[in-house]
Amino acid sequence: MPARSEIRTGAPGTVRQRPGAVISTLGEEIMGRRSASAGGGPSQRQLRVGEELRHVLAELLMRGHLREPALADAQLTVSEVRISADLRHAVVFVTELGGEVRPERLEALQRAAPQLRGEVTRRMRLKYAPDLTFRPDRSFAEAARIEALLAEERTAVGWDREDDDDAG
């Protein structure tokens, strides 16, 4: 009897795999369904859990109930959380009020990660406690850099904001 993922066609012994199936080097299908990453983006569950995780972490950092002295006076913003498909690993992007996160703050966040992990698991009632990895969020700096380049180009060409408003 053929496996669920196989479709027998034509001559005996000819096998055609399902479209989108992941095939091992031995020619066996190793994954029946397409994964979220194969579709190009995170699943709805990853987005929902990541957003809830972002809210919980932001609240914990805002309240300052951490045992890490380097984070006592820190004003950190959790801008994004990307969580793996199995919900066991999360990358937390943070920024500090007034600029980029200093390296000593990132090290302090990594030291506080086990405490944050436990508190997150209790508040969210997750089956697995996700491993937290903290990274600086450079998207705001990148957006400012792009805006400066565009403003420079507008000035060089002779456009200004008033000309844009009159054209529309």
Side-chain angles (χ1 to χ4, degrees), residues 129-154:
D131 290 326
L132 302 175
T133 304
F134 292 91
R135 294 207 178 129
D137 185 4
R138 294 192 172 94
S139 61
F140 295 110
E142 185 65 16
R145 185 185 73 79
I146 291 171
E147 184 61 37
L149 288 172
L150 290 172
E152 182 182 305
E153 187 64 25
R154 278 189 219 110

mmCIF file of all heavy atoms in Angstrom, residues 129-154:
data_model
loop_
_atom_site.group_PDB
_atom_site.id
_atom_site.type_symbol
_atom_site.label_atom_id
_atom_site.label_comp_id
_atom_site.label_asym_id
_atom_site.label_seq_id
_atom_site.Cartn_x
_atom_site.Cartn_y
_atom_site.Cartn_z
ATOM 1 N N ALA A 129 8.910 27.131 27.605
ATOM 2 C CA ALA A 129 9.460 28.459 27.849
ATOM 3 C C ALA A 129 10.430 28.784 26.721
ATOM 4 O O ALA A 129 11.413 28.080 26.540
ATOM 5 C CB ALA A 129 10.181 28.480 29.196
ATOM 6 N N PRO A 130 10.177 29.836 25.951
ATOM 7 C CA PRO A 130 11.078 30.137 24.835
ATOM 8 C C PRO A 130 12.421 30.687 25.325
ATOM 9 O O PRO A 130 12.481 31.461 26.277
ATOM 10 C CB PRO A 130 10.313 31.194 24.037
ATOM 11 C CG PRO A 130 9.364 31.803 25.001
ATOM 12 C CD PRO A 130 9.043 30.755 26.011
ATOM 13 N N ASP A 131 13.495 30.257 24.675
ATOM 14 C CA ASP A 131 14.816 30.834 24.931
ATOM 15 C C ASP A 131 14.802 32.243 24.361
ATOM 16 O O ASP A 131 14.426 32.443 23.210
ATOM 17 C CB ASP A 131 15.912 30.022 24.239
ATOM 18 C CG ASP A 131 16.112 28.658 24.883
ATOM 19 O OD1 ASP A 131 15.961 28.558 26.104
ATOM 20 O OD2 ASP A 131 16.421 27.713 24.137
ATOM 21 N N LEU A 132 15.224 33.216 25.165
ATOM 22 C CA LEU A 132 15.208 34.611 24.732
ATOM 23 C C LEU A 132 16.606 35.052 24.336
ATOM 24 O O LEU A 132 17.559 34.878 25.089
ATOM 25 C CB LEU A 132 14.688 35.505 25.856
ATOM 26 C CG LEU A 132 13.290 35.187 26.379
ATOM 27 C CD1 LEU A 132 12.958 36.060 27.574
ATOM 28 C CD2 LEU A 132 12.257 35.358 25.284
ATOM 29 N N THR A 133 16.719 35.619 23.157
ATOM 30 C CA THR A 133 17.962 36.209 22.677
ATOM 31 C C THR A 133 17.679 37.669 22.383
ATOM 32 O O THR A 133 16.732 37.978 21.650
ATOM 33 C CB THR A 133 18.446 35.513 21.390
ATOM 34 O OG1 THR A 133 18.571 34.115 21.639
ATOM 35 C CG2 THR A 133 19.784 36.073 20.941
ATOM 36 N N PHE A 134 18.471 38.563 22.952
ATOM 37 C CA PHE A 134 18.247 39.993 22.776
ATOM 38 C C PHE A 134 19.206 40.553 21.740
ATOM 39 O O PHE A 134 20.401 40.250 21.763
ATOM 40 C CB PHE A 134 18.408 40.723 24.111
ATOM 41 C CG PHE A 134 17.323 40.383 25.083
ATOM 42 C CD1 PHE A 134 17.477 39.338 25.978
ATOM 43 C CD2 PHE A 134 16.137 41.091 25.097
ATOM 44 C CE1 PHE A 134 16.469 39.007 26.863
ATOM 45 C CE2 PHE A 134 15.121 40.769 25.978
ATOM 46 C CZ PHE A 134 15.290 39.722 26.861
ATOM 47 N N ARG A 135 18.639 41.373 20.844
ATOM 48 C CA ARG A 135 19.443 42.025 19.801
ATOM 49 C C ARG A 135 19.018 43.487 19.704
ATOM 50 O O ARG A 135 17.842 43.807 19.917
ATOM 51 C CB ARG A 135 19.219 41.355 18.452
ATOM 52 C CG ARG A 135 19.722 39.941 18.419
ATOM 53 C CD ARG A 135 20.109 39.537 17.024
ATOM 54 N NE ARG A 135 20.624 38.179 17.048
ATOM 55 C CZ ARG A 135 20.200 37.226 16.263
ATOM 56 N NH1 ARG A 135 19.265 37.462 15.379
ATOM 57 N NH2 ARG A 135 20.731 36.027 16.338
ATOM 58 N N PRO A 136 19.958 44.353 19.349
ATOM 59 C CA PRO A 136 19.572 45.764 19.180
ATOM 60 C C PRO A 136 18.713 45.935 17.934
ATOM 61 O O PRO A 136 18.944 45.281 16.916
ATOM 62 C CB PRO A 136 20.911 46.485 19.035
ATOM 63 C CG PRO A 136 21.865 45.443 18.567
ATOM 64 C CD PRO A 136 21.386 44.137 19.122
ATOM 65 N N ASP A 137 17.712 46.800 18.028
ATOM 66 C CA ASP A 137 16.852 47.072 16.882
ATOM 67 C C ASP A 137 17.449 48.242 16.119
ATOM 68 O O ASP A 137 17.475 49.360 16.608
ATOM 69 C CB ASP A 137 15.437 47.403 17.333
ATOM 70 C CG ASP A 137 14.484 47.565 16.170
ATOM 71 O OD1 ASP A 137 14.902 47.344 15.018
ATOM 72 O OD2 ASP A 137 13.317 47.910 16.411
ATOM 73 N N ARG A 138 17.909 47.969 14.941
ATOM 74 C CA ARG A 138 18.546 49.000 14.127
ATOM 75 C C ARG A 138 17.600 49.560 13.064
ATOM 76 O O ARG A 138 18.012 50.363 12.230
ATOM 77 C CB ARG A 138 19.804 48.425 13.476
ATOM 78 C CG ARG A 138 20.857 48.080 14.519
ATOM 79 C CD ARG A 138 22.203 47.796 13.898
ATOM 80 N NE ARG A 138 23.210 47.660 14.920
ATOM 81 C CZ ARG A 138 23.591 46.508 15.462
ATOM 82 N NH1 ARG A 138 23.033 45.385 15.053
ATOM 83 N NH2 ARG A 138 24.518 46.478 16.394
ATOM 84 N N SER A 139 16.346 49.158 13.095
ATOM 85 C CA SER A 139 15.413 49.601 12.055
ATOM 86 C C SER A 139 15.144 51.104 12.135
ATOM 87 O O SER A 139 14.983 51.760 11.105
ATOM 88 C CB SER A 139 14.101 48.825 12.139
ATOM 89 O OG SER A 139 13.469 49.041 13.377
ATOM 90 N N PHE A 140 15.116 51.678 13.349
ATOM 91 C CA PHE A 140 14.867 53.117 13.472
ATOM 92 C C PHE A 140 16.046 53.914 12.918
ATOM 93 O O PHE A 140 15.868 54.911 12.233
ATOM 94 C CB PHE A 140 14.597 53.495 14.930
ATOM 95 C CG PHE A 140 13.344 52.886 15.473
ATOM 96 C CD1 PHE A 140 13.407 51.890 16.420
ATOM 97 C CD2 PHE A 140 12.098 53.291 15.012
ATOM 98 C CE1 PHE A 140 12.250 51.313 16.915
ATOM 99 C CE2 PHE A 140 10.941 52.721 15.495
ATOM 100 C CZ PHE A 140 11.010 51.721 16.451
ATOM 101 N N ALA A 141 17.254 53.474 13.200
ATOM 102 C CA ALA A 141 18.449 54.142 12.676
ATOM 103 C C ALA A 141 18.499 54.014 11.154
ATOM 104 O O ALA A 141 18.860 54.969 10.456
ATOM 105 C CB ALA A 141 19.705 53.555 13.310
ATOM 106 N N GLU A 142 18.126 52.862 10.650
ATOM 107 C CA GLU A 142 18.117 52.646 9.201
ATOM 108 C C GLU A 142 17.064 53.522 8.528
ATOM 109 O O GLU A 142 17.306 54.102 7.466
ATOM 110 C CB GLU A 142 17.864 51.168 8.893
ATOM 111 C CG GLU A 142 17.942 50.800 7.444
ATOM 112 C CD GLU A 142 19.327 50.964 6.832
ATOM 113 O OE1 GLU A 142 20.319 51.076 7.576
ATOM 114 O OE2 GLU A 142 19.411 50.992 5.596
ATOM 115 N N ALA A 143 15.894 53.651 9.148
ATOM 116 C CA ALA A 143 14.846 54.512 8.594
ATOM 117 C C ALA A 143 15.295 55.971 8.590
ATOM 118 O O ALA A 143 15.048 56.698 7.621
ATOM 119 C CB ALA A 143 13.559 54.356 9.401
ATOM 120 N N ALA A 144 15.971 56.411 9.645
ATOM 121 C CA ALA A 144 16.481 57.789 9.703
ATOM 122 C C ALA A 144 17.545 58.018 8.629
ATOM 123 O O ALA A 144 17.587 59.083 7.999
ATOM 124 C CB ALA A 144 17.041 58.078 11.087
ATOM 125 N N ARG A 145 18.387 57.017 8.396
ATOM 126 C CA ARG A 145 19.424 57.125 7.376
ATOM 127 C C ARG A 145 18.795 57.259 5.990
ATOM 128 O O ARG A 145 19.188 58.102 5.182
ATOM 129 C CB ARG A 145 20.340 55.904 7.419
ATOM 130 C CG ARG A 145 21.538 55.987 6.473
ATOM 131 C CD ARG A 145 22.342 54.691 6.459
ATOM 132 N NE ARG A 145 21.667 53.614 5.756
ATOM 133 C CZ ARG A 145 21.620 53.490 4.427
ATOM 134 N NH1 ARG A 145 22.189 54.384 3.656
ATOM 135 N NH2 ARG A 145 20.988 52.479 3.868
ATOM 136 N N ILE A 146 17.780 56.452 5.712
ATOM 137 C CA ILE A 146 17.099 56.509 4.419
ATOM 138 C C ILE A 146 16.385 57.841 4.250
ATOM 139 O O ILE A 146 16.433 58.459 3.175
ATOM 140 C CB ILE A 146 16.129 55.314 4.266
ATOM 141 C CG1 ILE A 146 16.927 54.021 4.140
ATOM 142 C CG2 ILE A 146 15.198 55.514 3.075
ATOM 143 C CD1 ILE A 146 16.093 52.769 4.208
ATOM 144 N N GLU A 147 15.746 58.320 5.297
ATOM 145 C CA GLU A 147 15.058 59.616 5.243
ATOM 146 C C GLU A 147 16.048 60.745 4.972
ATOM 147 O O GLU A 147 15.771 61.660 4.200
ATOM 148 C CB GLU A 147 14.293 59.871 6.544
ATOM 149 C CG GLU A 147 13.469 61.138 6.536
ATOM 150 C CD GLU A 147 12.400 61.155 5.455
ATOM 151 O OE1 GLU A 147 11.794 60.107 5.179
ATOM 152 O OE2 GLU A 147 12.177 62.240 4.870
ATOM 153 N N ALA A 148 17.228 60.690 5.580
ATOM 154 C CA ALA A 148 18.261 61.704 5.345
ATOM 155 C C ALA A 148 18.732 61.662 3.898
ATOM 156 O O ALA A 148 18.942 62.716 3.268
ATOM 157 C CB ALA A 148 19.433 61.493 6.299
ATOM 158 N N LEU A 149 18.902 60.462 3.356
ATOM 159 C CA LEU A 149 19.304 60.340 1.946
ATOM 160 C C LEU A 149 18.242 60.915 1.014
ATOM 161 O O LEU A 149 18.560 61.605 0.037
ATOM 162 C CB LEU A 149 19.575 58.878 1.599
ATOM 163 C CG LEU A 149 20.839 58.257 2.173
ATOM 164 C CD1 LEU A 149 20.866 56.755 1.908
ATOM 165 C CD2 LEU A 149 22.071 58.925 1.585
ATOM 166 N N LEU A 150 16.980 60.630 1.312
ATOM 167 C CA LEU A 150 15.892 61.157 0.484
ATOM 168 C C LEU A 150 15.812 62.678 0.590
ATOM 169 O O LEU A 150 15.592 63.366 -0.409
ATOM 170 C CB LEU A 150 14.563 60.518 0.881
ATOM 171 C CG LEU A 150 14.403 59.041 0.523
ATOM 172 C CD1 LEU A 150 13.131 58.480 1.135
ATOM 173 C CD2 LEU A 150 14.416 58.848 -0.973
ATOM 174 N N ALA A 151 15.986 63.213 1.786
ATOM 175 C CA ALA A 151 15.960 64.671 1.971
ATOM 176 C C ALA A 151 17.112 65.318 1.219
ATOM 177 O O ALA A 151 16.937 66.375 0.593
ATOM 178 C CB ALA A 151 16.033 65.002 3.456
ATOM 179 N N GLU A 152 18.265 64.685 1.259
ATOM 180 C CA GLU A 152 19.432 65.194 0.523
ATOM 181 C C GLU A 152 19.159 65.204 -0.976
ATOM 182 O O GLU A 152 19.477 66.170 -1.673
ATOM 183 C CB GLU A 152 20.636 64.316 0.852
ATOM 184 C CG GLU A 152 21.922 64.738 0.197
ATOM 185 C CD GLU A 152 23.044 63.777 0.562
ATOM 186 O OE1 GLU A 152 23.288 63.575 1.772
ATOM 187 O OE2 GLU A 152 23.663 63.234 -0.373
ATOM 188 N N GLU A 153 18.530 64.151 -1.466
ATOM 189 C CA GLU A 153 18.206 64.062 -2.886
ATOM 190 C C GLU A 153 17.152 65.102 -3.275
ATOM 191 O O GLU A 153 17.250 65.729 -4.327
ATOM 192 C CB GLU A 153 17.731 62.644 -3.232
ATOM 193 C CG GLU A 153 17.535 62.395 -4.694
ATOM 194 C CD GLU A 153 18.827 62.500 -5.503
ATOM 195 O OE1 GLU A 153 19.908 62.298 -4.937
ATOM 196 O OE2 GLU A 153 18.737 62.793 -6.705
ATOM 197 N N ARG A 154 16.151 65.299 -2.421
ATOM 198 C CA ARG A 154 15.129 66.324 -2.692
ATOM 199 C C ARG A 154 15.768 67.704 -2.789
ATOM 200 O O ARG A 154 15.401 68.506 -3.643
ATOM 201 C CB ARG A 154 14.074 66.319 -1.577
ATOM 202 C CG ARG A 154 13.014 65.279 -1.738
ATOM 203 C CD ARG A 154 11.893 65.502 -0.723
ATOM 204 N NE ARG A 154 11.471 64.225 -0.254
ATOM 205 C CZ ARG A 154 11.675 63.723 0.960
ATOM 206 N NH1 ARG A 154 12.270 64.438 1.877
ATOM 207 N NH2 ARG A 154 11.270 62.529 1.283
#
